[in-house]
Amino acid sequence: QVQLVESGGGLVQAGGSLRLSCAASGRTFSGYTMGWFRQAPGKEREFVGTFPWSGGIISFADSVKGRFSIFNDNAKNMLYLQMNSLKPEDTAVYYCAAGYGLGRQISPTGYAYWGQGTQVTVSS
């Protein structure tokens, strides 16, 4: 069975950095699109970035472009979200997700597999 497990969340001050990890298991993810999403209190789950597992164009939401990056470790089936220059507005539960043949899918409904989420809190 496919399982995605996020880790690495925590409390950081504005301007700081944090790296989130997503351990992906249950299958090989070649051909899959990985996604990072976040959900703040009272808001809908929103797109953060997409990452084609086997290579391709990485996409980001305008709100995080230039501050966040995504990379993977294929041998370990790990996906990472590097977050720099964090802002209080980045505070949310962050989720990794996976789906096959999605391209640059930015809607959460397009992803079949989801992790449990990890909390990121950015203080002023």
Side-chain angles (χ1 to χ4, degrees), residues 46-90:
E46 68 172 345
F47 163 74
V48 174
T50 61
F51 181 90
W53 186 268
S54 299
I57 298 173
I58 304 169
S59 300
F60 293 97
D62 289 342
S63 59
V64 306
K65 195 173 298 182
R67 300 188 296 119
F68 290 12
S69 61
I70 304 174
F71 58 97
N72 70 345
D73 184 330
N74 186 56
K76 296 181 178 179
N77 265 16
M78 296 288 292
L79 185 76
Y80 303 95
L81 177 66
Q82 179 66 46
M83 304 183 293
N84 299 322
S85 302
L86 283 162
K87 305 174 181 179
E89 303 92 275
D90 296 318

Side-chain angles (χ1 to χ4, degrees), residues 72-123:
N72 70 345
D73 184 330
N74 186 56
K76 296 181 178 179
N77 265 16
M78 296 288 292
L79 185 76
Y80 303 95
L81 177 66
Q82 179 66 46
M83 304 183 293
N84 299 322
S85 302
L86 283 162
K87 305 174 181 179
E89 303 92 275
D90 296 318
T91 295
V93 176
Y94 283 72
Y95 300 88
C96 65
Y100 185 80
L102 298 179
R104 295 168 59 190
Q105 177 66 259
I106 64 172
S107 172
T109 61
Y111 291 81
Y113 307 106
W114 291 85
Q116 83 289 349
T118 185
Q119 176 71 47
V120 172
T121 302
V122 184
S123 62

